[in-house]
Structure formats: structure tokens, C-alpha cells
Amino acid sequence: MVAPRTLHRSLAILLACTAPIALAGAAPPPAPAAEASPLYKDAAAPIAARVDDLLKRMTLEEKVGQLLTVWGAKAQMLDAKKRIDPVKVAALFPNGFGGFARPSDTLGAGSPRVTPGHDVKGTIDVVNTLQRYALTKTRLGIPILFHEEGLHGYAARDATSFPVPIGLASSWDPDMIRQINTITAREIAARGVTLALSPVVDVARDPRWGRIEETFGEDPYLVGEMGVAAVQGLQGADKAEKLAPGKVFATLKHLTGHGQPESGTNIGPAQISERELRENFFPPFEQAITRVAPGAVMPSYNEIDGTPSHASKWLLGDVLRGEWGFTGAITSDYDAIDQLRSIHHIAADRTEAALLAINAGVDSDLPEGDSYKTLVDSVRAGKVSEAVIDSAVRKMLEIKFRAGLFEHPYADVAAALKITNNAEARALARTAAARSMVLLKNDGTLPLAMPTGAAKPTIAVIGPSAAVARLGGYYGQPPVTVSILDGIKAKLGSRATVITSEGVKITENDDWWEDTVKLADPAENAKRIAAAVETAKGADTIVLAIGDTEQTSREAWANNHLGDRSSLDLVGQQQDLFDALKALGKPIVVVMINGRPLAINKVAAEANAVIEGWYLGEQGGNAVADALFGDVNPGGKLPVTIARSVGQLPMFYNYKPSAHRGYLFGEATPLFPFGYGLSYTSFTVGAPQLSATTIRPDGQVEVKVDVANTGKRAGDEVVQVYVRDSVSSVTRPVKELKAFRRVTLQPGETKTLSFTLDRRAFQMWNLDMKRVVEPGQFEIMAGGNSVDLKSATLTVAP
């Protein structure tokens, strides 16, 4: 998501900065002539007419003010009781400001563990106070656009926390993604906030990258379907002009190439050709924009072919607005416009950076407007026309009119409390965690038998993630979290003896916001391992929770705040802990709690069972306990390929035919393939049955696939349909996902699933970079993962 701004800025500096942040040369505008009711305040008037009317009334300073946002400066707005002081607001921003970042935090960037955020009432107090000021104390009464983070639940105090997106993608369940984002939207909207900085639809192709946890994985089709569902949940399933109650505008992120940075390091150059962009990185954005029209799009930090996304007229103008017809707002990533100067060095100063971004089509400068504050002077110096400013202001005003902020700007505390983290939300968080888990290995140890009778088994719950609920990056602070230890204890009650030990500490601190990451002392970990072995000696079964902390897989938003890794191995002494416990000869079940796919080669070979859990959200511990004891049958599938080592990278399933020929002394195959996941039951997926063996280039074919539960338990299978172009004018992947469906089957039950493949499943970008369907043979494949497939042949006739 967006990078938090300069965490090293101290509160003391913030409070010391008392000079007003006003636009250079600005003077208070004259009072408007008396008017009964201006058109822009008429709720019945067309939005375009309201915008036109308001624009012509605004001074240049007021227009530029609408492109600015407040975040760190909020500390200067507070009175002695830490409440918003309208007098200070007026002094700081005499021409107003357009947006306000994260009203749920108290002082801008910083850890909520250090400076707790506002509760529901506190957030609404901030929102309502500022809206009342903007509507009643500023010259034109333009409301403020508030935005918040909503990556996997509202990132605020007391809100509901769901699994991270890479976990949600493992569900292969767009309907559930839609439901989760519906909950997220209503919790955000209830506090008076209009814009969510979510979802991330970056296609992630490098697991070294710390932000991979924020994505829906490596496949453009899967990411697109999940992204469309997320936008539908946030702002509604249709393309309605006006925002419905309980909805917020989505911000599609990050356009583009962000998910395969050079060396796997955040914001690194994306060495990606136009063909790769169009085949793999553009599709999720195009699908979401053309199908559900998100309110905003955020460009990415990285450069492509020498041009950073925030300065790319081709990307933002020709492609986004031109080819895809996007009409919403383009909001910058945090400090990304300034980075045109400070990192990319294509601008000498903020004035030049602002000119590059505004001319490329970026409408809003987040989170502070440090670069766009120069635009008033640039207009007056003839460096940019006021018409360009008007175009950007129009987009920001349209969001406010579409949201109904001029008519309904205030939030209601009682209503917000009623729907925030309520029973429905908590139940969905538990369901989401259950459906996000992927069973990677099982020799029959799972599910564990539920204890009955007088005999009480002993279960050792061990590991650095056993007694803590890890929530991942851009996390909320739910009122209650459930660790794996908590979940197991609650499920077993007095029917078993549950013992525990930390085993190892991964990092000394696990605060996602903290800059410095310090690995735990190996000598101290050796003592912890010895203690864990002593604990486990008396156990019948060991449940080992290992993986990451929020510090070992996260967004690297500054040189002093890193989050990418050069290795995919377990961090610290976690492998030593596994080896020591394995030596006891007891059944060992490993639950991976992590943000990135890890190369757990030895663990996968030697553990009795392995569950990939990712960061599972507030109810993760209950969901893991449900899965361990068979109340939940894991049915998730991997949305990414798990490599055996860094040396195999890049590794993704839809590679070109010339890739992965093999290595001396090493494997060419992945540790676990894309789409892979086991179950406590067994399934048979039949060969695809085609409604026709020949179609025209503009035709379609119905693909039917039989899937049967051949085991003794109810369970879920994800039937996946892939396509391969046998011979083409440019090289094509060995297979591409084109359809999928998760289905629940009872023991012995068979269902026939039907999928329709149209030209979108067969089209490609030809030598002239035109999207076409070339006549020829296509292989249609179906199965429960990307490797074990059965096929049929389809001919596309000229």
C-alpha cells in the first residue's frame, strides 16, 4: 500500500513547526457576493454542472488547496486537550485543503503501539469537527475528503482485522473477498471517511519483495478477479455515479510493475517490456477499471524504462485514461511526487517534480502536498496553465459530490459503534481465516483426533508465532485477537493438556512501524530451543508455529526502514528449533505464519503435516484450531509458486517455453506449484468437455468439468481451467489460468461445473502490439492445481 511518511520526524519537531503552511503569495480571498443558493449546493443538479459552478467561483489558491492533504501537520491543529482547534486550522490553511489522511491516527506517521490511535468516537470527533469547519467557516464551504487504509480490514483501532491479501487470495473465493470488503467499507464509512486506499492489484512475481503479502499473488487473472471483487465490496457492484450509504470509493494500486522490482527491492526499477506489462501487469487494472470503475487509481513508486509512473504521460494518459477510459481521480502514492526529485532525480526541486506529475495527470499530492504547494507560483510564472490545475481539481471535487459530502458530511457515533467489529464481522474474520489456509503436506497426522474419555493427551504448542496473533502490515487494532495457543486451548478445554514454549524469538521487536530490525540473540535462542525441547518431551503431538514477524516481511518505505530480503529461508534459528523438535520422534505439525512464501525445503520433507497460514487476522487462532481438529477441512490453494531457493527466481507458473530447462546440482521444479493445496479428503477432476471443437475468433466455448469427492469427508476443491496457445506468432506462456471455481462436495458427491471461455481467454498481443485472437489450436486444461491437468483440444478457425 502507500508508504508511511518520514517516521523519523519527531513529535517535538512537529509541535515546534508553528509557521502556517500557506501557499506562497496567497491572500485571503474577498467575501463572495450574496447569493440565495449557488448551483453547486443544489443536490438535484447534475454533478458536472455543480463542479463547473464551483470551479468558476474558486481562486487559484483555493483550487490548489483542493489538491493538498494533511497528515503530519495534524499535530499543529490540536489544542491543549489534543482536540482539533478550528482557529489553528484556519491559520495554517487560509485557503483550505482538499483531503485529510488517516483521521484514526492521532499525530500522523507512527506506531499505534507507541501512540495509540483514536477509537470510534475519537475518529468521528476529528472528522465532524473538521467537516463542520470546512462547511461553515471557509469561504465556499467545500467538504474535506478523508482517506484511510483498508487493505485487509480497516486499519484502525477497534476495527475488524482479516487475513492479509495473499492469504485471502489463497481462498480462491471472490464472493468472500466481496463480503470482507463490504464489512471494511461500512466500518470506514461509519466514521465519516470516503476513500479507502485499497485494493492492491499488483501482480507479484518476486517473493523477496516485502510487499508480496499485500497482493493477491502472481497470476493476472486471479489477481483481476479478486481485485474486481474487492472494489465491488468497497464501493458497490455497479458503476453508480453516487456512492451508496455504507460504501467508500476504492483506490486501485499501484500502477504498475511494482510487483517485480529489480533485485526484489521495493520501488526498484521494473525492467519490464511493454509486452510483459500488457500480458501480465496491466490486466488486473484494466479489468477492475472497465468492469467496476474504482473511484481512484494510485500510480506506483517504481520507474519503467526510465520513466517513474508518477511522471508517465503514456501510462496515466494514453493507457489509463485513454485505452481504459478511466474517469476517476489519480492520487499519488505517499511522497511519490517528491521522489521524482529525491530518488529518481528527474526533477531538480519540488517545483519541477510538481510540474512533471500534474502534466502527467496526477490529481492529488499525498500525504501533505509538499510538491503541489508550488503550483500557484508555477501558474503565475507561466510554467503550467490554470486549465491543467482545473482538470485535477475537477476530479477531486467530483469525488466529493459523488459521495454526497456537501449534503451528508457528518458521521454518527452510535451507528458506527453498532456495526464496528460486531458479531457478523468477527464471524466472517474466522471464516476468512479458515478458507485462507493451504494444506501443503499431510501424512495422515491431520486432522488430530478430538480427545474423548478419561485419557488426556498432551499437545505442545511451540514457536515464535504460537502465542501471538500476527496481523501483517497495514494492520488494524481489533479489540480482541486470538493466537494459535488461545484457539487450541479454547477448543480443547479440559479434554487435553496444552503446554507451550516460545522456542525461538525471531526479531527482538515485531512492530511493523519500527525502523530498526534486530534479529534475536542466537545464544539466547539456543536456551529457548533447549527449553522448548524439554517442554515437548512430555507431549503426544507438537504444533509448531514458525515463519515471519511483521518486521521480516514488510514494506521497505525508506533506506532506514527495510523489509525486502535476499533469502527465502527461515529467519534466525527457526530451522534449528524444528530440527531439535523433530529429533524427539514425535508427530510434528507445522503451521506457517508468514507474509511471503518461504523455501522450507527441510521442513516440507520432514514434518508430518504443513499448513500455510499466512497472517490470518484477528480470528486466526480459532481457525487454525478448527483445521487441526477437523472442524474445518482446509481447501485453500496457493496464489503463488513457492520456490526451492532464491537461485530459481523468478519462478512463476505461466513461464515461457524456453524457461526452466534445469540446473546443475539443483531442481528446476518448484517446492510447491501455483494452485496447489491438499485436503483431508480426495478429489478427482475430469478432463474438460468442450461444447464445440471449433470456434471463430470472436466466438466462445463452454467448458464442462466433472469433479468428484472420492474420500470420506466433506471438503472443498478449486477446479482450475488453463489455456495454452499451441503455435503463435510471438512466444506464449506454457499455460494461463482463465477460469476457476471453489466448490464444496460431500463424500461420494460429483458435480459438473461449467465455464465459458470467450475471446478474452485466447487473445494475445501480436508483433504489432495489437490485441488479437490468432487462428490455430489451443489446449484447454483442467485440474486441481497448475501441474496435474487433463486436457482437450480446441481449434480457432480463421
Side-chain angles (χ1 to χ4, degrees):
M1 206 112 166
V2 295
R5 184 176 193 271
T6 55
L7 295 176
H8 49 275
R9 178 187 296 175
S10 69
L11 177 59
I13 293 175
L14 280 172
L15 294 175
C17 295
T18 56
I21 302 177
L23 297 169
E35 185 174 6
S37 180
L39 178 63
Y40 75 88
K41 292 188 177 182
D42 182 359
I47 288 176
R50 297 178 75 182
V51 172
D52 288 341
D53 183 65
L54 181 52
L55 263 176
K56 71 183 181 183
R57 299 169 184 271
M58 298 172 71
T59 66
L60 175 60
E61 289 80 7
E62 288 169 335
K63 291 175 182 178
V64 171
Q66 288 300 302
L67 310 184
L68 312 181
T69 298
V70 173
W71 192 24
K74 66 178 64 173
Q76 302 169 54
M77 296 179 168
L78 305 180
D79 61 18
K81 296 182 178 180
K82 305 299 182 183
R83 296 175 303 190
I84 296 291
D85 184 345
V87 174
K88 290 186 176 181
V89 175
L92 289 166
F93 301 98
N95 296 293
F97 55 91
F100 194 89
R102 307 181 190 182
S104 62
D105 69 37
T106 52
L107 296 173
S111 171
R113 298 187 188 181
V114 177
T115 305
H118 293 296
D119 60 11
V120 173
K121 182 180 183 303
T123 303
I124 290 176
D125 284 345
V126 169
V127 169
N128 286 353
T129 299
L130 285 171
Q131 290 291 39
R132 189 172 295 107
Y133 164 79
L135 287 158
T136 65
K137 301 299 182 182
T138 64
R139 190 177 75 93
L140 294 171
I142 303 173
I144 296 166
L145 179 68
F146 292 89
H147 73 251
E148 288 276 15
E149 302 286 357
L151 185 65
H152 52 112
Y154 180 18
R157 183 173 162 190
D158 299 327
T160 308
S161 178
F162 298 96
V164 290
I166 200 168
L168 296 176
S170 299
S171 72
W172 292 58
D173 186 350
D175 287 339
M176 187 185 76
I177 303 298
R178 195 174 296 107
Q179 294 169 22
I180 287 169
N181 282 275
T182 297
I183 296 291
T184 301
R186 78 183 189 192
E187 292 191 356
I188 294 175
R191 299 197 198 188
V193 176
T194 300
L195 184 67
L197 301 186
S198 176
V200 170
V201 293
D202 296 316
V203 170
R205 290 179 136 195
D206 196 322
R208 295 174 296 180
W209 184 48
R211 303 193 76 173
I212 192 171
E213 70 181 53
E214 301 176 34
T215 77
F216 293 125
E218 71 182 40
D219 178 69
Y221 181 80
L222 178 63
V223 173
E225 292 303 299
M226 295 302 189
V228 166
V231 175
Q232 289 173 332
L234 289 171
Q235 66 180 51
D238 56 12
K239 297 181 180 180
E241 181 182 49
K242 294 189 177 180
L243 201 62
K247 294 296 182 183
V248 294
F249 285 116
T251 305
L252 212 59
K253 308 186 315 182
H254 310 85
L255 189 67
T256 186
H258 203 29
Q260 195 174 4
E262 183 177 287
S263 304
T265 56
N266 192 45
I267 82 169
Q271 307 291 11
I272 302 170
S273 69
E274 182 181 350
R275 183 174 304 282
E276 280 293 305
L277 288 173
R278 291 190 177 278
E279 290 181 351
N280 292 299
F281 294 90
F282 280 0
F285 290 93
E286 182 180 11
Q287 287 297 304
I289 288 163
T290 57
R291 288 164 61 182
V292 286
V297 168
M298 179 180 288
S300 54
Y301 283 118
N302 57 276
E303 64 169 89
I304 297 173
D305 195 26
T307 303
S309 297
H310 283 74
S312 178
K313 294 181 180 179
W314 172 74
L315 181 65
L316 304 182
D318 296 347
V319 177
L320 176 60
R321 294 216 185 272
E323 295 180 27
W324 302 341
F326 177 66
T327 60
I330 299 175
T331 63
S332 83
D333 208 335
Y334 275 30
D335 290 323
I337 297 176
D338 182 64
Q339 288 179 7
L340 299 177
R341 168 195 66 87
S342 63
I343 292 180
H344 297 293
H345 300 289
I346 64 170
D349 52 30
R350 284 175 172 160
T351 297
E352 289 187 9
L355 293 174
L356 286 170
I358 196 76
N359 283 315
V362 181
D363 300 314
S364 176
D365 183 5
L366 302 182
E368 303 282 7
D370 286 339
S371 296
Y372 274 15
K373 290 171 187 174
T374 66
L375 287 174
V376 169
D377 288 343
S378 290
V379 171
R380 292 190 170 137
K383 296 177 181 179
V384 64
S385 72
E386 189 165 350
V388 172
I389 306 299
D390 287 352
S391 178
V393 176
R394 176 177 297 277
K395 296 301 181 185
M396 303 314 299
L397 292 178
E398 284 174 350
I399 284 185
K400 296 181 180 184
F401 282 117
R402 291 179 64 194
L405 289 179
F406 284 81
E407 295 75 42
H408 306 289
Y410 305 116
D412 179 78
V413 173
L417 288 170
K418 185 176 180 180
I419 58 92
T420 299
N421 198 246
N422 61 13
E424 179 191 9
R426 293 192 298 273
L428 183 58
R430 185 166 181 167
T431 297
R435 293 178 75 80
S436 297
M437 287 182 283
V438 183
L439 182 63
L440 296 179
K441 180 182 180 181
N442 187 25
D443 64 2
T445 298
L446 292 180
L448 302 175
M450 193 68 179
T452 58
K456 289 187 177 182
T458 298
I459 298 175
V461 184
I462 292 175
S465 294
V468 59
R470 302 200 184 280
L471 302 179
Y474 290 97
Y475 60 93
Q477 302 96 56
V480 175
T481 60
V482 183
S483 70
I484 294 174
L485 179 63
D486 294 333
I488 291 175
K489 284 184 173 180
K491 179 165 288 292
L492 294 179
S494 62
R495 288 174 288 191
T497 300
V498 179
I499 54 179
T500 189
S501 181
E502 184 179 32
V504 298
K505 185 185 286 291
I506 301 175
T507 52
E508 291 294 347
N509 184 351
D510 61 1
D511 189 344
W512 180 77
W513 287 85
E514 183 67 34
D515 289 335
T516 302
V517 177
K518 183 179 180 182
L519 291 175
D521 180 9
E524 291 300 314
N525 271 343
K527 296 176 183 177
R528 294 185 182 100
I529 292 172
V533 169
E534 283 301 311
T535 297
K537 283 180 179 178
D540 299 293
T541 303
I542 300 170
V543 175
L544 176 62
I546 53 177
D548 283 317
T549 74
E550 286 88 347
Q551 287 192 334
T552 61
S553 180
R554 66 178 184 177
E555 178 183 358
W557 64 63
N559 291 342
N560 68 330
H561 186 101
L562 300 177
D564 311 308
R565 294 218 305 267
S566 61
S567 169
L568 300 181
D569 297 337
L570 287 164
V571 176
Q573 287 71 52
Q574 293 183 91
Q575 186 65 57
D576 295 339
L577 173 62
F578 173 84
D579 293 342
L581 294 173
K582 179 65 180 177
L584 294 175
K586 300 176 183 293
I588 182 167
V589 175
V590 172
V591 181
M592 298 298 300
I593 301 296
N594 50 302
R596 73 178 81 232
L598 297 172
I600 52 168
N601 296 278
K602 193 174 183 183
V603 170
E606 297 182 1
N608 297 89
V610 179
I611 292 175
E612 176 57 82
W614 311 110
Y615 297 129
L616 286 171
E618 66 176 65
Q619 293 293 319
N622 283 328
V624 169
D626 289 341
L628 292 176
F629 291 94
D631 292 331
V632 163
N633 186 351
K637 302 281 186 171
L638 290 175
V640 288
T641 301
I642 299 183
R644 296 178 187 273
S645 69
V646 166
Q648 290 185 318
L649 301 181
M651 175 162 271
F652 36 82
Y653 86 94
N654 53 342
Y655 56 87
K656 294 295 183 69
S658 57
H660 301 302
R661 297 181 71 182
Y663 299 97
L664 287 172
F665 323 120
E667 291 282 342
T669 58
L671 182 60
F672 295 104
F674 173 83
Y676 178 82
L678 301 174
S679 173
Y680 295 155
T681 189
S682 56
F683 298 96
T684 298
V685 179
Q689 306 161 52
L690 309 183
S691 61
T693 57
T694 302
I695 63 171
R696 305 287 293 181
D698 59 351
Q700 62 184 37
V701 62
E702 184 180 16
V703 181
K704 292 186 176 181
V705 181
D706 294 332
V707 54
N709 183 343
T710 57
K712 298 180 180 180
R713 285 178 175 265
D716 288 5
E717 178 62 300
V718 179
V719 176
Q720 303 161 38
V721 177
Y722 296 85
V723 171
R724 178 175 185 175
D725 192 344
S726 298
V727 179
S728 50
S729 61
V730 297
T731 60
R732 303 293 299 135
V734 295
K735 67 193 70 156
E736 296 176 277
L737 181 70
K738 296 299 180 182
F740 64 87
R741 190 169 306 143
R742 181 166 177 161
V743 59
T744 301
L745 296 172
Q746 298 301 313
E749 184 181 8
T750 298
K751 286 186 179 179
T752 300
L753 305 183
S754 182
F755 307 90
T756 299
L757 302 183
D758 58 21
R759 64 175 291 109
R760 291 174 297 177
F762 308 109
Q763 64 191 11
M764 55 172 280
W765 293 90
N766 68 9
L767 287 168
D768 298 321
M769 291 305 292
K770 304 294 184 183
R771 189 150 52 183
V772 300
V773 176
E774 291 187 340
Q777 288 191 339
F778 290 81
E779 190 175 359
I780 313 299
M781 299 166 278
N785 59 67
S786 64
V787 174
D788 302 310
L789 300 168
K790 297 174 183 177
S791 64
T793 300
L794 174 73
T795 298
V796 174

